[in-house]
Amino acid sequence: MKLRPATADDADFLADVLVAAVNWSPDWPPKSRRRVLAAPNTACYVAGWPRESDLGVVAEADGERVGAAWLRFFAPDAPGYGFVAADVPELTVGVAAEWRGRGVGRALLHAVEDHAKEAGIARISLSVERKNFAERLYLAAGYEVVGAGSEQSDTMVKFL
């Protein structure tokens, strides 16, 4: 597996990753790509990729893209699910189902954090469902719960 910066050519792949992240639970009816990208509260994570302030990393294996992690800033009047402040970008991470549990998510997380540090970003936020296995990954990586995003999710922050 290799990691590389996300580019404009990855926009469709990031949308696919977002759809996979939304559909993380096999217990829920899956939402279609069309539905995820039509909903403003989820489409905002990839719409117009890349913006000048966006930062992302893509994982590739055997010539195929298998995961991505990216940061995007949101405004207080148009926040993401894990919004903390306008100067704190929100993290999105997704890994293809067949590559989960193989260290891809952890590698992506560390790589995007390294790029964020290089860009002078001091904190990263995210939102994660409490039942999502990824919450354990984030806790192990130093993210802390700072509040409830909803009845089922937490907002987490990491100081870099």
Side-chain angles (χ1 to χ4, degrees), residues 65-153:
R65 293 176 288 195
V66 299
W70 65 95
L71 301 175
R72 178 164 268 192
F73 290 90
F74 292 97
D77 61 345
Y81 284 109
F83 182 82
V84 172
D87 65 340
V88 179
E90 192 171 337
L91 173 70
T92 303
V93 178
V95 176
E98 62 273 15
W99 282 89
R100 291 181 189 148
R102 297 168 70 177
V104 176
R106 184 175 314 278
L108 286 164
L109 185 60
H110 292 308
V112 81
E113 289 171 357
D114 288 344
H115 287 292
K117 287 178 197 173
E118 291 171 11
I121 295 170
R123 295 183 293 167
I124 295 173
S125 70
L126 62 87
S127 175
V128 64
E129 298 280 333
R130 290 186 195 104
K131 292 181 181 180
N132 190 331
F133 179 79
E135 186 169 41
R136 286 177 271 194
L137 168 66
Y138 301 133
L139 288 168
Y143 287 78
E144 297 178 12
V145 175
V146 295
S150 71
E151 290 182 19
Q152 296 87 23
S153 68

Side-chain angles (χ1 to χ4, degrees), residues 8 17-19 24 32 50 62 76-77 85-86 92 96 103-104 112 114 119 122 148 155 157-158:
V17 168
L18 177 64
V19 172
W24 69 270
S32 70
D62 302 323
D77 61 345
T92 303
V104 176
V112 81
D114 288 344
T155 298
V157 170
K158 181 173 183 176

